[in-house]
Structures are given as structure tokens and as C-alpha cells.
Amino acid sequence: MAVHRSLRDGALVLELDNPPVNALSPDVLVDLVAAIDAGEADSAVRAFVLAGRNGIFSGGADIRWFGKAPPPGAPLLPDVIARIEASPKPFVAAIEGTAFGGGLEIALACDRRIASPRAKVALPEINLGLLPGAGGTQRLPRAAGNAAALRIILSGAPVKAAEAQQLGIVDAVESGDLLAAALASATSGPAGRTRLSERAVAAEPEAFAQARAQLAPIDKGGLAAHRCADAIEAATTLPFEAGLQRERELFMELLASEQSKSRIHAFFAQREAAKVPDVPADTPVAAVRTVCVVGAGTMGTGIAMALANGGLTVHVVEAAEDALARGRALIEKNYAASARKGRFTEAAVAERLSRIHFGTDLAVAAHADLVIEAVFEELDIKREVFAKLEAICRPDAILASNTSTLDIDAIAAGSSRAGDIVGLHFFSPANVMKLLEIVRGTHTSAHAIATSLALAKTIAKIAVVARTCDGFIANRMLAPYGRETMYLVEEGAAPQDVDRVMERFGFPMGPFRMYDLAGLDVGWRIRKRRLAEGRFATLREPEIGDRLCEIGRFGQKTGAGIYRYDENRTPLPDPQVEALIVAESARLGITRRPVSDEEILNRCILALVNEGAKELEDGTAIRPGDIDIAWLYGFGFPVYRGGPMHYADTLGLARVRDELNALAERHGEHWRPAPLIEQLAARGGRFAELQAYEAKAPAWT
Ligand code: T1G
């Protein structure tokens, strides 16, 4: 039973019960209509109270059913909402937990809404590339006004109960017995019905014009935002029913858009990435409250802040006093900057700093539930740290490395605790970037992985699990992508051409601006180490970056790299670099030629897709969505394109295969399509077939 009914004090209480989030799936809607029918036919029922079980009102319409015909006879959510509003008996919503999307829309069709103090409401459909398609764009402005409706719907952000009351979205916040308060409101509230649809809402064309001016362009992921504004404005210019009709038209347009399909893919892929086939959901998880971070450099300090922001106690250990002092100063400076920008209050900063302790004695690791080493990226140094940790740490502690390039198996080699050793690869700046790659070695235990996944949730990171290899998931793909960007410049493109094309595709920052930001010297050091270790790349490594580092141009950190930078850090093409590039082309015997935008985009994206396919073949990545999540949250791949693998599906894998073969003919065998692409393309398949959520979606009726 998806809707429980109980008659109390003359009101029929309807409790949604569809764990985990009371998603409004067709069976819930069928039960809801049946309950309303029964209540309306029962003279003992004077009113209805709508509530949710499982600690939540409702997470909204069931996203898995979008684009699929509902089972025969099942009503659509807008129909049920219309049914509620048309009822002769009043409805009161008792909102516990979250009322998001269709959950809030169904509450807005009630006469009154009463929320618990910790309740939150939201219309987050924009995050799915959609708009509130069950009356939210028409009722919210009638409840809270145009400005609040625009802010809430365009941001998709949750609104806490107290603010929701101030705005007129909920009528009361009840810290006592929520159900009792709702029953009282339902049975002794004003006679007759109170309908938001009967309220007027002012036309404010200038407010909507201003709002639109702030929105991302439609072809840069802004489609849903512009359509949300159109739907909300329709509430001010059309009668209610016509406004609903307009909302429906715009919703259907968005539902069919690639931008929405991409965002919905990202929504489910992010959640699916936390499921590891050989790590059962009931795997024991260590309670992580105290973490020791070894190393107070850029990464160590960023990680310490990310942990403190997640409410954990952190011990930062650095051998040298001066390096420890620098790390402490960097953390304090970063928090002060966050406070200045209003990201944290002074009190919140003080509270976080109170939980970060600094010292030079590694013995403090004995108290840690988890240790994360973030020392210099040299294998011997890391192995020396782990040898010490093995002797110091509790037997139940998890030992993690923040390495970004080293093999977890090499770090764990010879360790008596290889099962406890896991990679936790944070992306810089670690206190800002959402992605956390959990890297498993051959011996990493399910317990260590499950604990790492729980930690990611605690510190609000988005985790993907990678099997150890050179570069894990994200950086391994960055290698061919980066190589291709340099090859393109050797052949005739300018760095600013490549950046322009990739930024127009939707990356917040083109690759060359990113190299300058991260520092060209990072790659230079890695290449030199590889050469020293005899780990020669299978392909010629472009040397433009080396040439720039040799003349001290490391990027923004030295004021100049690929670009030179003015006082506002504006990247400016530099004739000296253009000359250096031309010299490199000559040294390589390459005759420079014009390179089209299409070729630039093709080679950059296909380099990613082909390597991603290989990661699926060799088990580095569990599923294509994990690769998408890694690039969405690690390198800013535009979410409205879904990630490299989802985007390849939108191109069609037969086309991907053919273009890879064409590139192989022109630029070498390394472009040949991965066998997985050949296999899928041969049967008209898609990477999406490899996603469990795709299989879990209801069958097409
Ligand atoms: N539909 C289907 N499944 C959903 C779902 C939804 N709306 N929300 C969550 N799930 C699944 C999720 O995939 C995961 O599945 C499990 O529930 C737990 O989710 C017409 C068009 C509600 C704040 O966008 O924000 O209404 O992995 O890990 O951290 O206008 O889920 O266990 O198999 O996120 O406790 C609008 C989306 C829908 C809200 C709970 N609503 N959900 O967070 O759990 S469109 C949303 C959330 C709509 C109408 C429109 C969060 C949550 P699995 P979780 P959580």
C-alpha cells in the first residue's frame, strides 16, 4: 500500500509510503486517487490531511518514469493535483522532512501547509533540466510572489521551514505534534476551500527581463532556466488554467531536450557511482570522527578543510615546523577569505578551526579512525610514511593515500595491512572540488571502500571508485586529452582557439587556461620522473610545456605560461609563446595548417571517449556513468551534456567508431576505437546499457 489511510477526528489522514523518498510513482498516484475518492464518499470525513512516512513528505515525481508512458489507468501528477484542488473537502499538508518538486506541488494544491521546523521545501526540477510541471510555476508565485518564485525555481535550492513561512509557502511551522496541528487546521480551519489558483499575481515584466538577463544562454545549458522564467511569467499574464497549459507545453519541451536527459543521467549516475558490485550495501563501515592528515602542503591543507567542513576532528601533521606553520597560515587565510565572501560566518570559521589541530609528531595518528597521507608525490617517501603509520595506527584504522599518480599496490607492497590501504584522490582545491576518487588496490578491503564511501557522503564529496592504474579514472583520460590539445597546437591551432572551442562546448575553462592555472611545472615534473624511471609514454609526449617551463613560464603562479596575465589575471596570447610554438612545429618537421573548430572539438572529445571505453574494458571504471561523474565534477565537463560517455551516446557510437577510424588513418593507430566501442556500435548499442539504473527503470508499457 503506497498510501496509508486513517480516519482521525473527522479527517482522513493520507500517508505517502514509497521508500526511500516517497517518490510519486504511478502506484502512489493510483492509491492517492482511490483514497480521495473514498474520503469524499465518506460522510464521516470532513477533511483530508496529506503526510509522508519514512521521515520525508515526498522527493517529488518519480524521475525514473519520465519519458515513459504510465501504466494504463494510472493518473498523471497534474491530474491528481487538479483532483485535490477540485475536492469539496479541505486538504492540509503536514510536511515533515523534505517536500521537493512534485512533493511541494501537491502540497501547494492543499488549502494549508504546516511544516516541522527542520522541514525543507524546494522546486529543484531545474537541476534535471526541467521545470516544475505540476502547477509549481503557477501556484508558487501566487503563494510567495514573483521574485521569490523566480529565485526558488531558478536556483532549485531548498528553502527552510522558517523562511518558507515568511514567504507564504507554508502557513505554519509546528514544533510540537505536527499531525495534531494539521488535523486541527483541517477540521477547524476556515469553512470552504482556500485555493492558491484563485489568487491573482502581479505582472512584473521588468522583473522577468532582469531575471532573464542573468540566465545562462540557452545553448550553454540555460534552456530549462529560460523556460522556467517563461512559465512563471505565464502565471502573471494568463488565467490560471491557461497558465497550467503553458507550463505543460514548456515542460514537455524540456523533457524531450538533450539538456534534460543529460542532467537526469547525471542525477542517477552520481547515486549509482556509490554502488560497488563486490562491496555489499551492508558492508561494515568504520565510524570516522577523527582523521590525521599527513602533510600540510596545498593538498593536505585543502583536505583538512574539507574534513573539518564535514564536522570531523582533524590532526594535521607536518615534520618541519616552518612547513607546518605555512600550512596553518594557508588554512586560516582560506577560511578568512570564505568568511569575507559570506560563505561561512565568523562563528562557523572559528568552530571549524577549533577542530583542526597542528603538530609535528606522527604519534597523534594513534588516535585516528582514518589517516590520509598527502606528502610529496614520490613512492619511496609515501612508503616510508605508511611503514611508520602501520606501527602507530590502531588496527581498525583505515590508511589512505591522496596520491594522484602512484599505484596503490606499489604503496601497499610489503605492507601487513594492505587491506586497510586505499587511495582517496581529492581534486585541488580539495576544500572546493566535489570529486573524490576512491582508488582500490588489489588487496583493498570492502570495509575500507565502504568506509571511504561513507566518508565521502559525510564531507559532501561525490565519490567514484576506481581500480588502481596510472591516473585512475579522471587523470588517465586527461592524458590523451592533454596530448591531443598540444598536438593540435603543434599542427597549426593556437592555444586560444582550443580554449575557445572547448569553452563554447561548455567547459568553464579551456584546457590551456587550465594548464596555466594548475601549473605547467606539474606535468613537467611528472614527465621528467617518468623518463628517469624509464616509463616512456607509448606516444610521443608533446614538449611545448617543457619548453615553457625551461624558461620559467609555469603559468599563473609565475605570471606567465601559455598566456601572459594582466593584473586581473586575464589570459593574453603572447607572441613569444606563438614563436616558441612555431619553432616546435619546425623542430618536429610539421608544416603548420589551419585547424577547424570541428576538428579541435572532435579530437579532444573522442580522445576522452576512447580512453573511457578502455577504462571500462580493463575494469578501472565500473560503469560509464562513473566516468561521466568523474569528468563532470573533476574537470567541469558541462553537466547539460551529461559527461563524455553520455555525450558519446548522443553522438551515436557508430559515428564515434567511424570518426575514430578516420582519425586513425590520419594520425596513427592509437586512434583505433576501443573494442567495446566496436562491439556496441556493431549492434546499435549505447554505453547507457551498462548502467544498472537504466535497467532498473520501469519497462516501457
Ligand atoms: N524519483 C525517483 N527516485 C528518486 C527521486 C525521485 N524524485 N529522488 C531520489 N530518488 C532515489 C535516488 O535515485 C536514490 O535511489 C534514492 O532515491 C535515495 O536518493 C512534475 C517533474 C529527496 C533530497 O529533483 O534531491 O517532481 O540509489 O541518495 O540523500 O514538477 O533524493 O537508492 O536506488 O538522493 O536522502 C523533483 C531529487 C523530481 C528531488 C533525498 N525532485 N531527489 O536525498 O537520498 S521531478 C527532485 C533529491 C518532479 C514535477 C517534477 C534527493 C532527496 P537509489 P538520495 P537523500
Side-chain angles (χ1 to χ4, degrees):
M1 174 68 80
V3 177
H4 301 277
R5 307 174 199 173
S6 55
L7 184 58
R8 301 186 204 177
D9 306 340
L12 187 61
V13 179
L14 308 180
E15 291 179 282
L16 306 174
D17 186 8
N18 182 23
V21 300
N22 295 341
L24 300 170
S25 53
D27 54 329
V28 172
L29 300 181
V30 168
D31 283 2
L32 199 46
V33 169
I36 296 168
D37 288 344
E40 286 180 348
D42 183 344
S43 58
V45 173
R46 289 186 283 124
F48 293 91
V49 168
L50 199 49
R53 287 193 177 179
N54 311 305
I56 183 172
F57 185 76
S58 170
D62 190 328
I63 307 168
R64 288 167 305 165
W65 277 93
F66 288 165
K68 294 176 176 60
L76 294 175
L77 181 55
D79 305 331
V80 177
I81 286 178
R83 185 79 176 67
I84 288 173
E85 228 191 17
S87 175
K89 300 182 180 180
F91 279 72
V92 171
I95 300 175
E96 183 79 66
T98 49
F100 281 10
L104 177 55
E105 289 175 298
I106 212 166
L108 288 172
C110 296
D111 299 65
R112 285 174 296 286
R113 287 151 294 283
I114 300 179
S116 65
R118 293 174 58 82
K120 290 179 188 168
V121 299
L123 290 175
E125 288 85 346
I126 195 166
N127 299 331
L128 301 170
L130 298 171
L131 55 77
T137 65
Q138 307 301 304
R139 288 190 178 88
L140 189 61
R142 287 175 164 84
N146 293 323
L150 280 165
R151 171 171 62 84
I152 291 166
I153 291 173
L154 290 174
S155 70
V159 178
K160 291 178 181 167
E163 185 190 359
Q165 182 181 17
Q166 281 168 357
L167 291 171
I169 300 171
V170 300
D171 301 274
V173 176
E174 173 57 54
S175 50
D177 184 335
L178 178 64
L179 188 55
L183 282 166
S185 175
T187 52
S188 54
R193 294 297 310 272
T194 308
R195 296 184 176 90
L196 283 172
S197 57
E198 291 166 2
R199 282 192 199 171
V201 57
E204 293 181 272
E206 66 288 346
F208 285 93
Q210 269 174 15
R212 283 194 179 87
Q214 314 294 321
L215 302 180
I218 285 180
D219 64 354
K220 293 290 286 285
L223 177 61
H226 283 273
R227 296 297 180 262
C228 281
D230 295 347
I232 299 166
E233 187 162 33
T236 71
T237 57
L238 298 173
F240 184 76
E241 285 306 323
L244 279 184
Q245 181 54 38
R246 183 71 182 126
E247 176 191 84
R248 189 88 202 135
E249 288 162 9
L250 294 169
F251 177 80
M252 294 311 288
E253 177 195 352
L254 292 176
L255 192 60
S257 70
E258 283 305 338
Q259 290 190 24
S260 176
K261 289 171 185 168
S262 297
R263 289 176 188 271
I264 290 174
H265 161 68
F267 173 87
F268 283 120
Q270 177 185 325
R271 287 155 179 81
E272 201 166 29
K275 294 168 191 154
V276 183
D278 61 342
V279 178
D282 61 356
T283 300
V285 168
V288 175
R289 296 184 189 83
T290 300
V291 183
C292 175
V293 176
V294 185
T298 307
M299 290 310 293
T301 52
I303 292 168
M305 292 178 69
L307 296 165
N309 294 343
L312 302 177
T313 296
V314 187
H315 291 275
V316 177
V317 176
E318 174 60 66
E321 283 288 357
D322 59 341
L324 182 69
R326 282 197 302 276
R328 178 179 201 138
L330 184 57
I331 288 176
E332 289 167 350
K333 175 172 152 272
N334 286 340
Y335 271 129
S338 296
R340 267 198 315 279
K341 293 172 198 161
R343 202 166 153 247
F344 294 129
T345 62
E346 296 289 351
V349 165
E351 195 277 327
R352 283 162 171 77
L353 284 172
S354 72
R355 282 187 282 103
I356 304 178
H357 308 285
F358 298 86
T360 55
D361 186 353
L362 196 55
V364 74
H367 308 297
D369 307 308
L370 164 71
V371 181
I372 303 175
E373 70 72 20
V375 300
F376 202 64
E377 192 74 356
E378 289 291 353
L379 181 58
D380 295 343
I381 297 175
K382 289 187 182 298
R383 291 181 66 177
E384 188 184 322
V385 167
F386 274 89
K388 291 176 183 168
L389 291 173
E390 282 188 24
I392 295 169
C393 293
R394 296 193 328 249
D396 63 333
I398 301 293
L399 311 180
S401 169
N402 172 57
T403 182
S404 57
T405 61
L406 297 175
D407 182 349
I408 296 298
D409 284 341
I411 291 173
S415 164
S416 61
R417 305 180 57 168
D420 297 334
I421 295 176
V422 65
L424 289 181
H425 178 215
F426 290 80
F427 280 68
S428 185
N431 55 309
V432 174
M433 295 299 285
K434 299 294 286 178
L435 182 65
L436 176 63
E437 280 184 319
I438 297 170
V439 188
R440 61 188 299 177
T442 307
H443 306 294
T444 302
S445 68
H447 169 64
I449 294 167
T451 299
S452 301
L453 285 165
L455 173 78
K457 203 147 187 167
T458 301
I459 61 175
K461 294 292 182 185
I462 293 171
V464 292
V465 176
R467 190 170 293 284
T468 190
C469 73
D470 188 352
F472 315 142
I473 291 176
N475 283 339
R476 173 169 153 184
M477 291 163 69
L478 184 64
Y481 174 83
R483 196 167 45 232
E484 216 47 43
T485 61
M486 290 293 186
Y487 285 167
L488 284 159
V489 166
E490 288 172 348
E491 292 171 35
Q496 56 271 30
D497 296 338
V498 179
D499 281 353
R500 169 176 49 77
V501 167
M502 298 319 286
E503 286 167 16
R504 193 175 60 212
F505 178 76
F507 281 91
M509 184 181 286
F512 288 97
R513 287 179 58 203
M514 187 172 76
Y515 305 153
D516 270 357
L517 180 65
L520 293 161
D521 53 318
V522 174
W524 185 39
R525 252 204 321 272
I526 291 172
R527 280 192 294 279
K528 287 197 290 187
R529 188 177 65 240
R530 281 213 176 94
L531 283 175
E533 292 167 359
R535 289 192 297 156
F536 297 98
T538 49
L539 282 175
R540 175 179 67 81
E541 282 292 342
E543 297 182 18
I544 289 172
D546 299 0
R547 295 293 88 75
L548 288 164
C549 289
E550 287 152 10
I551 57 175
R553 294 179 69 122
F554 290 176
Q556 285 197 23
K557 65 175 84 169
T558 56
I562 300 281
Y563 299 102
R564 60 188 173 79
Y565 292 86
D566 66 13
E567 63 285 353
N568 302 320
R569 290 197 166 193
T570 310
L572 304 169
D574 186 336
Q576 186 185 352
V577 173
E578 284 160 28
L580 182 150
I581 289 169
V582 168
E584 267 300 288
S585 304
R587 181 181 71 83
L588 293 163
I590 295 172
T591 305
R592 293 182 66 77
R593 62 177 173 86
V595 181
S596 71
D597 289 2
E598 186 194 7
E599 179 177 355
I600 290 172
L601 182 62
N602 232 19
R603 286 171 59 177
C604 290
I605 294 299
L606 293 179
L608 288 180
V609 173
N610 213 23
E611 193 62 32
K614 292 171 187 171
E615 291 186 2
L616 292 168
E617 288 168 344
D618 65 23
T620 298
I622 299 169
R623 53 185 84 82
D626 294 12
I627 294 171
D628 289 334
I629 292 302
W631 268 76
L632 290 177
Y633 295 102
F635 292 118
F637 195 99
V639 67
Y640 59 90
R641 297 188 190 275
M645 312 313 275
H646 178 85
Y647 182 68
D649 276 348
T650 64
L651 295 177
L653 294 187
R655 172 182 163 190
V656 166
R657 172 200 60 204
D658 297 345
E659 291 189 0
L660 285 167
N661 278 319
L663 286 167
E665 295 305 321
R666 280 187 64 190
H667 298 285
E669 285 304 300
H670 65 280
W671 275 109
R672 287 294 171 206
L676 176 62
I677 292 175
E678 292 279 10
Q679 291 153 20
L680 288 170
R683 64 168 196 263
R686 301 182 305 144
F687 286 122
E689 297 164 20
L690 310 176
Q691 295 288 148
Y693 81 76
E694 186 80 5
K696 194 166 71 174
W700 287 73
T701 47

